[in-house]
């Protein structure tokens, strides 16, 4: 376990009902870096995020974040600890205005007085949000909605962003924009944990990569090393890794 | 035969009451997946709380206040903690069955503990008619319409103009996302139950002078709320309002102009037409949840 890890999972078991999806997942996520989680469909990538964020119970094992144990924290406790989670798909309230969607992102702020300022600052940073402040969130394009989701999370000034397949359904231009924002945040010291289907593109802009298969970490390494790893091709061709590969 | 305008006003008045009941029904459904088959009985019961308070010597206004408070506590708070929370753990179906059982219990309870006879219920205003531009309107219909509208407007303001209300809407529209943002979902759900308790009590005060207080009142009212919610779009507060008003107006007009005998059939015809051509309801949106 490296000293500069902000998030660690230690033999985490979790799943849905009787189904176990995370089979002793162990991982160590570096601070102020972008780490992309890749793996075949159904590997448990989204399940890992939901478990970390407290939407699914940890059955055994432990999770630590920023120096404290956060196993089975509620989402609210995770927010208070400095993590935010942006799930896959559309995560806005379609009938509320852009401004009111943003405002709900501030519910977990310890000091509510700062919310108007923060909203103002975030609109400064994303002028599109100011332009559309009074429009229903449903009128935004997919990419604009994703920006809204990211901006809403940034109101809390998070240390860690868990973001699940942000590029899905977005135009290539918009994907670039979202990735640029994430890199910018990383440069400011924010840790980004990302899931992406387009593994190659995502790893190219990441610092680290984590390969998850059948609920276990198969590879944890620098993104460049993973890109150069011949086993990755095998994995994504559906071959699966031999058990001896083990977790890094 | 009453004039068209008179029928329209009384239809709007009935519809506004249906809307109150349907809005509460929809809110509770949205935030907690509770399809409350006892909603009609929830409207029947507060009238008996009020009559009991008056029998104990309270003046009408105080009795109404007591009725609303009891309704919020019993039909809101206790309903959630004693029935909904424990049953929902086992799934939606056991909860549905529990609310059906509760409806029977409340109905029989009102009959056994109070009376099987229809009880006269005081009206907010004397039964006088009003003459506007030569048209006769009953004062009672107007007051009912005004009171129900004021209630719906107040609720609308709460839900859309306050942050608390928007947190409630968020919880209703997407509870998982609400939790992810740190909204206290349990508290928001509780609030909708309390609001429903108040709405059914207000509906009870408005409708009982017309229907009289009777233990069977819940049967028709429950169905009306259910139909209004489906017609308007099950997942929409606005839809429930629209559905309630349409139902009330058409009910009154069709009974007068087409046939009073088949009165009960018209709402069902509307329902079938809506389901055929707009299965998500008039204002409903197709559920799109990703988390
Ligand atoms: N809500 C749920 N209830 C039951 N099973 C689920 C649920 N969500 C996911 N699963 C199952 O858990 C397994 C892992 O799902 P998960 O969403 O974590 O995979 P993933 O790695 O994110 O895959 P994808 O690349 O398709 O997003 C899958 O077999 C899936 O069918
Ligand atoms: Mg996934």
């Amino acid at each position: 376990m490296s000293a500069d890890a902000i998030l660690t999972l230690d033999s985490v078991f979790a799943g849905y009902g009787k189904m176990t999806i995370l089979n002793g997942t162990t991982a160590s996520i570096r601070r102020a870096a972008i780490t992309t989680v890749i793996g075949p469909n159904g590997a448990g990538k989204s399940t890992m995020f939901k478990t970390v964020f407290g939407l699914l119970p940890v059955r055994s094992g432990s999770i630590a974040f920023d120096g404290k144990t956060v196993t089975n924290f509620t989402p609210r406790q995770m927010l208070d600890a400095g993590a935010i989670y942006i799930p896959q798909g559309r995560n806005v309230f379609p009938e509320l205005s852009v401004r009111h969607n943003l405002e709900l992102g501030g519910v977990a702020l310890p000091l509510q007085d700062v919310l108007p300022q923060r909203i103002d600052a975030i609109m400064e940073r994303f002028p599109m949000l100011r332009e559309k402040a009074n429009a229903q969130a449903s009128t935004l394009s997919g990419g604009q909605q994703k920006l809204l989701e990211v901006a809403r999370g940034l109101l809390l000034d998070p240390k860690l962003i868990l973001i699940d397949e942000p590029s899905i359904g977005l135009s290539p231009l918009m994907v670039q924009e979202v990735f640029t924002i994430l890199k910018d945040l990383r440069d400011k010291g924010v840790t980004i944990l990302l899931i992406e289907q387009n593994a190659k593109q995502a790893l190219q802009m990441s610092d680290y990569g984590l390969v998850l298969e059948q609920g276990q970490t198969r590879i944890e390494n620098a993104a460049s090393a993973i890109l150069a790893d011949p086993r990755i091709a095998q994995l994504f061709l559906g071959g699966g890794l031999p058990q001896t590969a083990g977790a890094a | 035969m009453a004039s068209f305008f008179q029928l329209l006003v009384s239809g709007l008045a009935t519809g506004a009451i249906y809307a109150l009941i349907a809005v509460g029904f929809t809110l509770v459904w949205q935030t907690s997946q509770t399809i409350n088959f006892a909603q009609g009985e929830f409207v029947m019961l507060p009238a008996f709380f009020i009559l009991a308070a008056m029998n104990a010597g309270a003046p009408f206004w105080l009795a109404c206040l007591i009725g609303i408070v009891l309704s919020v506590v019993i039909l809101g708070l206790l309903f959630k903690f004693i029935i909904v929370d424990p049953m929902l753990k086992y799934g939606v179906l056991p909860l549905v069955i529990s609310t059906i059982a509760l409806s029977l219990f409340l109905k029989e309870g009102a009959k056994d503990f109070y009376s099987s006879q229809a009880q006269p219920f005081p009206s907010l205003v004397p039964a006088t008619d009003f003459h506007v531009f030569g048209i006769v309107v009953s004062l009672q219909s107007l007051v009912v319409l005004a009171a129900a509208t004021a209630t719906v407007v107040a609720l609308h303001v709460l839900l859309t103009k306050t942050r608390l209300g928007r947190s409630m809407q968020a919880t209703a529209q997407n509870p998982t996302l609400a939790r992810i943002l740190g909204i206290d979902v349990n508290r928001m759900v509780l609030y909708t139950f309390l609001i429903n308790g108040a709405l059914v009590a207000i509906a009870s005060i408005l409708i009982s002078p017309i229907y009289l207080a009777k233990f069977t009142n819940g049967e028709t009212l429950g169905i009306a709320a259910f139909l209004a919610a489906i017609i308007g779009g099950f997942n929409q507060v606005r839809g429930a309002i629209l559905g309630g008003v349409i139902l009330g107006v058409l009910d009154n007009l069709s009974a007068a102009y087409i046939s009073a005998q088949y009165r009960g059939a018209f709402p069902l015809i509307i329902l079938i037409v809506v389901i055929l051509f707009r299965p998500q309801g008039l204002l409903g949106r197709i559920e799109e949840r990703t988390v």
Side-chain angles (χ1 to χ4, degrees):
Chain A
M1 195 182 299
S2 62
D4 61 348
I6 189 172
L7 177 73
T8 55
L9 282 78
D10 187 13
S11 312
V12 172
F13 284 81
Y16 308 90
K18 288 200 183 92
M19 250 196 313
T20 302
I21 305 297
L22 297 187
N23 279 300
T25 312
T26 296
S28 175
I29 309 303
R30 305 283 182 97
R31 192 183 290 272
I34 301 180
T35 302
T36 297
V37 182
I38 59 174
N41 290 106
K45 303 181 297 291
S46 300
T47 305
M48 176 180 161
F49 278 23
K50 286 184 227 169
T51 308
V52 168
F53 205 69
L55 293 166
L56 285 174
V58 176
R59 292 181 193 155
S60 77
S62 68
I63 301 174
F65 170 56
D66 202 24
K68 35 175 198 249
T69 304
V70 297
T71 318
N72 284 324
F73 263 35
T74 62
R76 177 59 189 255
Q77 288 174 306
M78 287 306 290
L79 291 167
D80 293 341
I84 65 155
Y85 167 46
I86 304 176
Q88 192 181 322
R90 302 200 163 181
N91 306 290
V92 297
F93 298 105
E95 279 141 51
L96 296 184
S97 70
V98 168
R99 179 185 300 280
H100 289 153
N101 266 280
L102 275 177
E103 189 191 74
L104 288 175
V107 165
L109 273 175
L111 288 172
Q112 288 296 317
D113 314 5
V114 302
L115 182 59
Q117 266 160 265
R118 294 256 176 118
I119 290 182
D120 217 51
I122 215 81
M123 285 183 166
E124 209 59 47
R125 184 156 168 199
F126 302 104
M128 178 277 295
L129 296 177
R130 193 188 295 284
E131 261 164 53
K132 303 260 181 174
N134 297 319
Q136 275 203 346
S138 60
T139 64
L140 300 185
S141 71
Q144 290 172 327
Q145 288 191 19
K146 216 20 113 181
L147 286 187
L148 171 57
E149 292 171 29
V150 173
R152 181 180 62 193
L154 294 183
L155 288 176
L156 298 179
D157 213 353
K159 294 179 196 143
L160 170 69
I161 300 178
L162 301 164
I163 183 164
D164 192 345
E165 300 200 25
S167 72
I168 217 164
L170 265 53
S171 68
L173 210 67
M174 214 60 211
V175 173
Q176 280 314 316
E177 188 166 345
V178 170
F179 281 4
T180 306
I181 293 167
L182 296 180
K183 278 193 275 191
D184 189 47
L185 286 165
R186 183 262 326 264
D187 295 341
K188 294 197 171 90
V190 180
T191 309
I192 315 279
L193 190 56
L194 176 77
I195 296 174
E196 269 302 329
Q197 287 295 345
N198 187 341
K200 201 168 166 192
Q201 189 189 11
L203 285 170
Q204 276 162 355
M205 69 125 207
S206 302
D207 304 298
Y208 298 94
L210 189 153
V211 180
L212 201 70
E213 198 195 18
Q214 293 178 2
Q216 292 185 345
T217 305
R218 298 291 191 213
I219 302 171
E220 223 180 339
N221 209 338
S224 54
I226 292 184
L227 278 168
D229 191 329
R231 291 181 296 170
I232 298 301
Q234 189 193 3
L235 191 68
F236 284 96
L237 290 172
L241 286 179
Q243 285 300 318
T244 48
Chain B
M1 195 157 81
S3 77
F4 173 79
F5 191 76
Q6 242 174 318
L7 287 168
L8 185 67
V9 172
S10 66
L12 283 172
T14 321
I17 297 173
Y18 290 169
L20 287 185
I21 309 169
V23 165
F25 177 85
T26 304
L27 270 180
V28 164
W29 146 254
Q30 280 188 303
T31 52
S32 70
Q33 317 300 305
T34 307
I35 304 179
N36 180 18
F37 280 100
Q39 183 78 346
E41 279 66 35
F42 276 27
V43 181
M44 172 276 293
L45 202 59
F48 288 99
F49 294 157
I50 293 167
L51 289 177
M54 288 175 76
N55 287 346
F60 180 56
W61 67 267
L62 181 61
C64 284
L65 212 62
I66 294 171
I68 293 174
V69 171
L70 283 179
S71 177
V72 168
V73 172
I74 296 171
L75 304 177
L77 195 75
L78 295 184
F79 174 53
K80 179 172 188 292
F81 286 131
I82 294 177
I83 294 177
V84 176
D85 288 349
M87 292 313 291
L88 203 54
K89 289 196 194 96
Y90 301 100
V92 172
L93 194 62
L95 178 57
V96 163
I97 294 167
S98 304
T99 67
I100 294 171
L102 178 65
S103 76
L104 295 173
F105 172 76
L106 294 178
K107 195 160 78 179
E108 294 306 313
K111 184 170 81 180
D112 292 345
F113 285 99
Y114 206 94
S115 167
S116 61
Q117 301 300 309
Q119 305 291 312
F121 190 88
S123 171
L124 292 172
V125 287
T128 48
D129 284 342
F130 224 82
H131 295 261
V132 227
F133 305 118
I135 298 165
V136 188
V137 199
S138 100
L139 180 63
Q140 184 158 345
S141 290
L142 280 182
V143 168
V144 165
L145 181 56
T149 307
T151 307
V152 170
V153 169
L155 181 64
H156 184 77
V157 168
L158 170 72
L159 286 178
T160 60
K161 304 287 180 220
T162 71
R163 233 178 115 199
L164 173 69
R166 288 191 293 268
S167 296
M168 289 169 63
Q169 276 194 67
T171 302
Q173 287 175 17
N174 191 338
T176 309
L177 179 55
R179 275 188 80 202
I180 288 170
L181 297 180
I183 293 171
D184 189 342
V185 167
N186 285 336
R187 174 134 39 111
M188 297 307 135
V189 174
L190 174 61
Y191 289 162
T192 62
F193 276 78
L194 301 183
I195 288 174
N196 187 45
L199 289 176
V200 291
I202 294 169
S204 191
I205 293 168
L206 297 179
I207 205 146
S208 298
I210 308 166
Y211 278 25
L212 307 180
K214 190 155 196 292
F215 72 99
T216 52
N217 278 357
E219 295 166 6
T220 39
L221 292 173
I223 292 172
F226 197 67
L227 292 181
I230 295 176
I231 289 171
F234 220 60
N235 48 21
Q236 287 289 324
V237 166
R238 289 195 311 272
I241 297 171
L242 182 68
V245 171
I246 290 177
L247 212 59
V249 170
L250 286 181
D251 186 38
N252 271 257
L253 292 183
S254 60
Y257 291 111
I258 306 175
S259 158
Q261 230 176 338
Y262 293 109
R263 183 178 198 155
F266 291 108
L268 292 169
I269 294 171
I270 304 166
L271 176 71
I272 290 167
V273 171
V274 168
I275 286 181
L276 280 179
F277 293 100
R278 227 185 123 72
Q280 73 271 40
L282 292 177
L283 297 182
R285 89 194 110 74
I286 295 165
E287 298 275 323
E288 184 190 346
R289 286 184 187 173
T290 51
V291 275

